[in-house]
Amino acid sequence: MATGVRRLIPRRWSGPVAGEIPGGGAGAVVAGFLAVLILGTLAAVAWTARGLSGLGPWDLRAIWFTLWQAALSASLSAALAVPVARALARRSFAGRGALILLLGAPFILPVIVAIMGLVEIFGRQGLVNAALQAVGLPRFSIYGWQGVVLAHVFFNIPLAVRLILQGWQGIPGERIRLAESLGFSPRDIGRHLERPMLREVLPGVWLVIFMVCLTSFAVALTLGGGPRATTVELAIYQAFRFDFDLGRAATLGLVQVAISLGAILLAARVTLPPGFGAGMGGGAALRGPAGWRVGADVAAIALAAAFLIGPMAAVILPGLPALGALPADVWTAAARSLLMALGSAALTLVLSVALALALDRGRNRWIEIAGMLPLVASPLVLGTGIYLLVREWVRPETLALPVTVLINAIMALPFALRALIPAARTVQADYGRLAASLGLRRWARLRVLTLPRLARPLGFAGGLAAALAMGDLGVITLFADSDRTTLPMQLYLLMGRYRMQDAAGAAVLLMAISLALFWIFDRLGRRLGGSDDDA
Amino acid sequence: MAYRSPVALAVVLACSLSAQCGQATEGPEFTVYAPDYFASEWGPGPGIEAGFENTCGCDLQFMTGDVLPRILMEGERTRADVVIGLNTDQTARARETGLFAPHGQDVATLTLPIEWTDEIFLPFNWSETAFVYDETRLPDPPDSFQALLDAPDDLKIVIQDPRASVSGLALLLWVTAVFGEDAEQAWEKLAPKVLTVTKDWSESYGLFTRGEADMVLSYTTSPAYHIVAEDDRTKHAAIFPEGHYFMVELVARLKGSDQPDLAQQFMNYVLSPDFQGMIAEGNWSYPARLPADQLPQAFRDLPRPQKTFFYPEEQAEALRQPALDAWLRAFAG
């Protein structure tokens, strides 16, 4: 995952033998399937409602709130991630790899667990307010728009740090050595190397976080403080649940897609290539400057660690004692969720490899946008649409598990692609001609060349997909029957039956499995990819 | 619990993907749509399933999810024989579909605090909205709704969104019933005390038990859970002399059911002592037909409001939108 978001730039070189890769056609099929699924379900909902309905003033307010909170959350996440990523990029210390892994964890944390943790730290009875009160400062309230933004920043800084860090690591070693031999000061390095890199990476980082925040649902529900902080996704839920107005739900779903497409186009316009030129790959790390910058880097890393790890620790501590006494049903649900998460991860990998290889062949802009579509789809519209489409042929509850596996696989696709596409392009650029001259074709080429070279991003993508699927409550609630619950569902059910202590235990279990899944996949990818260094 | 052998774990893994494991029920399938909390292991569902299957010679299957939206989507083609867990705010729209058949039960014998005459929708359990507090954290709770409004703004409460949850909607009607014309001013006084508005009751209650809020919008029966399950007598429902709003859960049979006899049998079963006896400690609410002296002790000891409000369906339906608008204006205006 050398350059996280470079895929927003038009390709400059397209291999003469790209057509040899299996997956070219498959990629188009996958992209078509995504477009049909996401737009088709929207159409199914609208069709059942006999058309789209107009929006009321509260819907317009929800759209406005969604836009600005997503923009603010994305800007803050990206801005705060820059010093952290830079500190991590130019300093080396014991446990750096483990810290980077841990700092990535909030992104894959199930939303409900994360909210529990944030409330423990930033809530009325939380540590932060206790500290503020002790020194006589006014208290901070996590309930309101500021809570929504805080939670979004908590979720997304990890993603931003990871992507920006990769940007730093993607600066060719030749340029760094040249800068060193020219005696560049940290300021010169900033101007000539870091700023062009950020100019390329940041718009993509901002875009992906903006889109994640756009469809946010559970965060706004609990931390929003009231109807002032209603997001579009929440308005969709209310249209379904309270008014049973499918037409309005479909309209809002369409608005969500339109905003996202607008954001994609905008980000593509402001992204500039850094113009470093190619390097040999494998590089020199930046050498960290001495002086006050050491202190600044230490502070950036320490603050980020406290902000990101604190809430997780706050969930683990009270929940741990309840873990041993969890009812049997919770363990069964955990086993079921685990199997489903593995299924989703496998599916994500197959779909994303097909898409990444197809994209590699050049001007397939629509495939790229189709790959981003899952990020903008409303899970509620998607689930209901599938329900409406399949109910003629099958009993929806028999599809609860497969549909959930499929939707979770698709939801993880945009992130998987982000990891895979740059690597796939590098393989094509570096080895395309060699492979052609050796007569490596189709499956042989995939097996001998492509997959081994993609092992690391594949591991990362698989881990991300598995962990996200593990924590997703999502669409299963639309289909489920009581005999087949997932672990996140059990967590909600326990809370719904006053059993808060068991729920805390289930939250720890859920978090542990999610993190373990990510760690194992990521590790496996590195092992198979033949290198053991960080990120 | 922990799985002691790899074999046990393997069985669990294999079973986890299929619903059929360990089920040996024979006979025709009887489908009941229910909310997930009702049918889950932690609700009364499993006991009711076993109890009914003992006599019906059928295989009762709970389908969980949002009961009414699903029925509305499916219309005539629904496979449900019976739906359980509807609320009074949903009966108007449910009735409009014409999909439901009369329950055929004698409602005169119900033990509700209000009069019930509906021939289609049959109550199976009830409670009232109430603000629940912990005496160790709030030793001096407001003793009336008016006192709650007049309390200092650092008294924090959590409520549920009326657009997403039944109890949130009941609060709208409760405030309307108590304050009438002055409801909007009441909301304005209440709004600064509202810490946050959650989607579900469970999230509100979680914030309350974690100590984030002093009071939570819940039910008069909530303290019974803490007494029975946790032996904790510090949680109470604040009983207001102005009165409390009635919350009831309903069951109804589908006209188009292919098992009309079983559906009728189920309606009879709902009011039987067997079913009713499972409600108090299964759904943490009052059974719809059970003499008070047959309730568990913890329920008999609960303080009762002097007055219980209830708007009939048409009135509630007419009040809903204006009440919601007033609420929205006070909270987001």
Side-chain angles (χ1 to χ4, degrees):
Chain A
M1 190 165 171
T3 44
V5 287
R6 198 161 285 173
R7 145 179 80 64
L8 285 167
I9 321 162
R11 259 184 61 70
R12 274 159 287 185
W13 185 81
S14 147
V17 288
E20 297 291 334
I21 308 166
V29 172
V30 170
F33 168 71
L34 284 177
V36 168
L37 184 71
I38 285 155
L39 301 175
T41 47
L42 198 57
V45 172
W47 191 78
T48 307
R50 299 196 179 79
L52 302 167
S53 343
L55 302 176
W58 293 104
D59 296 320
L60 298 179
R61 287 180 64 158
I63 292 170
W64 172 236
F65 174 74
T66 306
L67 276 175
W68 77 254
Q69 66 79 17
L72 181 61
S73 302
S75 307
L76 276 176
S77 304
L80 293 174
V82 169
V84 182
R86 180 167 57 187
L88 287 170
R90 65 189 186 186
R91 305 285 167 193
S92 60
F93 50 90
R96 180 174 168 275
L99 184 69
I100 290 177
L101 182 75
L102 218 55
L103 292 187
F107 185 67
I108 52 170
L109 217 52
V111 175
I112 180 163
V113 178
I115 290 177
M116 282 182 182
L118 285 170
V119 165
E120 293 286 342
I121 301 289
F122 296 98
R124 271 178 90 218
Q125 307 296 328
L127 287 177
V128 168
N129 273 320
L132 286 176
Q133 206 168 18
V135 296
L137 286 170
R139 292 155 66 96
F140 165 82
S141 172
I142 195 181
Y143 306 99
W145 65 264
Q146 67 278 18
V148 176
V149 171
L150 179 87
H152 283 158
V153 169
F154 171 76
F155 277 117
N156 292 305
I157 278 190
L159 183 68
V161 167
R162 195 95 180 195
L163 293 174
I164 297 173
L165 184 57
Q166 274 148 6
W168 247 289
Q169 289 165 340
I171 298 175
E174 289 82 349
R175 308 295 167 264
I176 293 174
R177 280 190 287 271
L178 181 62
E180 276 169 5
S181 67
L182 289 174
F184 270 20
S185 68
R187 179 177 301 209
D188 298 329
I189 289 182
R191 194 160 107 212
H192 295 286
L193 296 181
E194 295 174 331
R195 225 174 289 162
M197 181 277 294
L198 290 173
R199 188 79 173 80
E200 187 211 5
V201 171
L202 281 180
V205 172
W206 188 90
L207 173 70
V208 74
I209 297 175
F210 177 79
M211 286 165 69
V212 170
C213 297
L214 212 54
T215 49
S216 171
F217 176 55
V219 167
L221 276 174
T222 304
L223 296 180
R228 229 177 251 135
T230 301
T231 60
V232 175
E233 187 69 21
L234 182 49
I236 292 177
Y237 177 83
Q238 287 159 349
F240 270 119
R241 263 302 292 275
F242 187 69
D243 300 317
F244 197 68
D245 190 344
L246 290 182
R248 215 173 95 229
T251 310
L252 288 165
L254 211 55
V255 166
Q256 205 156 279
V257 171
I259 293 174
S260 306
L261 290 181
I264 292 177
L265 296 177
L266 190 74
R269 284 194 84 106
V270 297
T271 303
L272 284 183
F276 287 139
M280 294 291 288
L286 276 175
R287 209 164 294 162
W292 64 269
R293 289 187 178 83
V294 177
D297 284 354
V298 170
I301 293 175
L303 280 176
F307 176 56
L308 297 175
I309 298 171
M312 292 193 282
V315 172
I316 294 174
L317 293 179
L320 220 45
L323 202 55
L326 279 179
D329 263 24
V330 174
W331 292 99
T332 317
R336 183 179 300 117
S337 278
L338 184 61
L339 291 182
M340 289 169 64
L342 292 174
S344 286
L347 198 55
T348 301
L349 291 182
V350 170
L351 295 177
S352 58
V353 166
L355 276 179
L357 296 183
L359 263 177
D360 188 49
R361 300 168 68 217
R363 308 174 305 271
N364 285 319
R365 203 53 204 276
W366 73 276
I367 292 187
E368 189 171 337
I369 291 178
M372 296 283 267
L373 267 182
L375 217 47
V376 312
S378 153
L380 267 170
V381 173
L382 197 60
T384 309
I386 292 180
Y387 178 86
L388 291 170
L389 290 172
V390 303
R391 63 171 179 179
E392 297 291 334
W393 297 285
V394 279
R395 290 160 58 152
E397 58 279 357
T398 59
L399 285 181
L401 300 189
V403 164
T404 305
V405 167
L406 173 73
I407 289 189
N408 284 337
I410 287 172
M411 288 297 173
L413 253 186
F415 305 110
L417 283 175
R418 210 149 272 274
L420 276 180
I421 290 170
R425 285 193 174 141
T426 309
V427 171
Q428 174 60 14
D430 293 355
Y431 300 95
R433 277 173 260 226
L434 177 63
S437 71
L438 288 174
L440 272 180
R441 283 161 169 264
R442 299 186 177 275
W443 296 108
R445 181 179 159 135
L446 191 66
R447 190 167 47 83
V448 177
L449 171 64
T450 313
L451 288 182
R453 286 273 143 192
L454 291 184
R456 285 186 65 186
L458 278 174
F460 175 78
L464 211 56
L468 289 174
M470 188 72 206
D472 180 72
L473 179 67
V475 295
I476 193 160
T477 50
L478 291 174
F479 294 87
D481 65 48
S482 60
D483 294 328
R484 280 172 281 203
T485 53
T486 61
L487 187 53
M489 266 181 88
Q490 283 289 347
L491 178 51
Y492 266 103
L493 289 174
L494 286 167
M495 281 177 69
R497 296 279 85 182
Y498 296 94
R499 302 174 68 140
M500 302 297 165
Q501 193 57 37
D502 285 338
V508 173
L509 183 63
L510 184 54
M511 187 161 117
I513 298 177
S514 297
L515 293 188
L517 276 172
F518 178 75
W519 185 78
I520 290 167
F521 268 92
D522 198 38
R523 201 87 218 142
L524 210 62
R526 278 158 202 241
R527 187 69 50 83
L528 295 175
S531 91
D532 237 12
D533 55 320
D534 306 317
Chain B
M1 69 162 281
Y3 294 109
R4 287 197 180 75
S5 74
V7 177
L9 184 63
V11 170
V12 168
L13 283 175
C15 286
S16 69
L17 288 179
S18 96
Q20 266 66 49
C21 267
Q23 287 188 0
T25 321
E26 306 262 316
E29 195 177 298
F30 183 67
T31 307
V32 178
Y33 284 7
D36 47 16
Y37 65 83
F38 183 90
S40 83
E41 188 192 310
W42 335 116
I48 283 158
E49 179 177 346
F52 189 59
E53 284 176 353
N54 275 342
T55 59
C56 72
C58 66
D59 176 15
L60 190 156
Q61 298 257 329
F62 282 117
M63 296 295 154
T64 55
D66 286 338
V67 174
L68 182 65
R70 188 152 168 189
I71 290 283
L72 290 176
M73 260 198 281
E74 293 172 344
E76 301 276 346
R77 286 171 302 184
T78 184
R79 288 195 308 112
D81 297 303
V82 162
V83 298
I84 198 162
L86 290 175
N87 300 97
T88 44
D89 64 298
Q90 299 175 317
T91 51
R93 270 171 294 172
R95 203 186 306 275
E96 244 171 54
T97 64
L99 294 171
F100 295 96
H103 53 66
Q105 304 298 311
D106 176 13
V107 287
T109 58
L110 295 179
T111 51
L112 306 180
I114 58 139
E115 193 192 0
W116 191 264
T117 51
D118 199 311
E119 288 176 357
I120 303 253
F121 299 101
L122 181 67
F124 65 91
N125 69 185
W126 62 276
S127 184
E128 288 117 341
T129 50
F131 288 99
V132 170
Y133 65 96
D134 180 334
E135 67 182 20
T136 61
R137 285 189 276 129
L138 191 67
D140 195 16
D143 56 5
S144 68
F145 213 134
Q146 188 60 48
L148 173 62
L149 298 188
D150 295 336
D153 286 348
D154 57 6
L155 177 91
K156 289 296 174 194
I157 64 172
V158 274
I159 62 172
Q160 294 100 56
D161 194 321
R163 296 167 297 173
S165 99
V166 190
S167 44
L169 186 61
L171 175 65
L172 281 193
L173 299 175
W174 186 14
V175 168
T176 310
V178 171
F179 297 100
E181 298 282 292
D182 301 326
E184 192 149 354
Q185 287 93 303
W187 287 123
E188 274 160 18
K189 292 188 84 170
L190 196 63
K193 298 180 222 343
V194 173
L195 183 68
T196 192
V197 182
T198 66
K199 180 190 72 160
D200 284 328
W201 168 88
S202 55
E203 284 142 358
S204 284
Y205 213 81
L207 288 173
F208 165 69
T209 52
R210 274 197 292 273
E212 281 290 290
D214 303 307
M215 299 182 98
V216 57
L217 175 66
S218 189
Y219 309 104
T220 46
T221 41
S222 299
Y225 171 82
H226 299 284
I227 296 168
V228 174
E230 300 174 337
D231 196 27
D232 170 3
R233 289 168 192 280
T234 62
K235 312 279 196 298
H236 308 279
I239 302 296
F240 295 158
E242 292 99 329
H244 290 250
Y245 197 80
F246 182 62
M247 300 274 300
V248 65
E249 285 187 294
L250 306 162
V251 53
R253 47 176 294 205
L254 275 293
K255 215 183 258 172
S257 160
D258 53 2
Q259 315 273 3
D261 296 337
L262 281 178
Q264 193 54 56
Q265 208 180 322
F266 189 80
M267 301 308 275
N268 300 342
Y269 179 63
V270 166
L271 291 189
S272 72
D274 186 36
F275 183 111
Q276 290 292 308
M278 283 186 252
I279 287 301
E281 290 179 5
N283 220 24
W284 303 106
S285 56
Y286 293 112
R289 186 164 80 180
L290 201 70
D293 57 8
Q294 289 176 31
L295 284 171
Q297 190 62 43
F299 280 81
R300 268 182 275 168
D301 293 345
L302 290 177
R304 295 279 319 132
Q306 291 150 8
K307 196 166 161 192
T308 300
F309 296 109
F310 180 62
Y311 286 117
E313 186 176 296
E314 312 81 59
Q315 217 178 336
E317 195 68 6
L319 284 172
R320 196 168 78 118
Q321 196 58 47
L324 179 68
D325 289 340
W327 182 83
L328 283 169
R329 277 194 301 272
F331 279 86

